[in-house]
Amino acid sequence: MCLFCKIVEKEIPSNLVMENDEFYAFHDINPKAPVHVLVIPKIHVDSFNELTGEMMKNMTSFIQEVALKTDIKEAGYRVITNVGDNGGQEVKHLHWHVLGGAKLKWGHFSDANAKDFF
Ligand code: AMP
């Protein structure tokens, strides 16, 4: 069983934000913003590559609820999912990083020279 499946099963403790039948949201153990929540499906899905449109539809409203509950919805926030090795995905269970609570910097591919990064 993968790390995040164990969190869903409560075999590993987590700091819960909210859950429903399909999804689970908890605080990242190593936050990269004042609010850094991970949103995962309760069933095991490896990555965004395996996510269906049907599940994405329900995840969208769940993520919006997480943003509301953590009080970042109005001021703005960022939603990211890393996919595979080049995307920097360390945990091979689909998760959305929901980041907010401060003005977030946007690094490479915006104000920097992309050539410096590969
Ligand atoms: P990624 O690099 O996109 O796969 O992101 C994995 C995220 O999971 C990282 O931001 C980690 O800090 C986070 N993480 C790893 N283990 C735990 C844990 N036990 N509880 C909460 N967050 C975790």
Side-chain angles (χ1 to χ4, degrees), residues 36-51:
H36 186 173
V37 175
L38 299 175
V39 174
I40 64 175
K42 286 188 169 178
I43 62 162
H44 184 87
V45 175
D46 282 343
S47 79
F48 183 77
N49 279 339
E50 289 76 30
L51 178 62

Side-chain angles (χ1 to χ4, degrees), residues 23 55-65 77:
F23 308 114
M55 187 182 281
M56 185 70 225
K57 179 170 171 282
N58 295 339
M59 281 199 106
T60 301
S61 49
F62 187 81
I63 290 168
Q64 290 163 351
E65 278 182 56
Y77 57 100

Side-chain angles (χ1 to χ4, degrees), residues 3-4 26-30 38 82 88-91 95 97:
L3 175 67
F4 287 175
F26 57 107
H27 292 281
D28 196 292
I29 205 167
N30 181 22
L38 299 175
N82 296 325
Q89 183 181 4
E90 285 175 8
V91 179
H95 50 283
H97 297 262

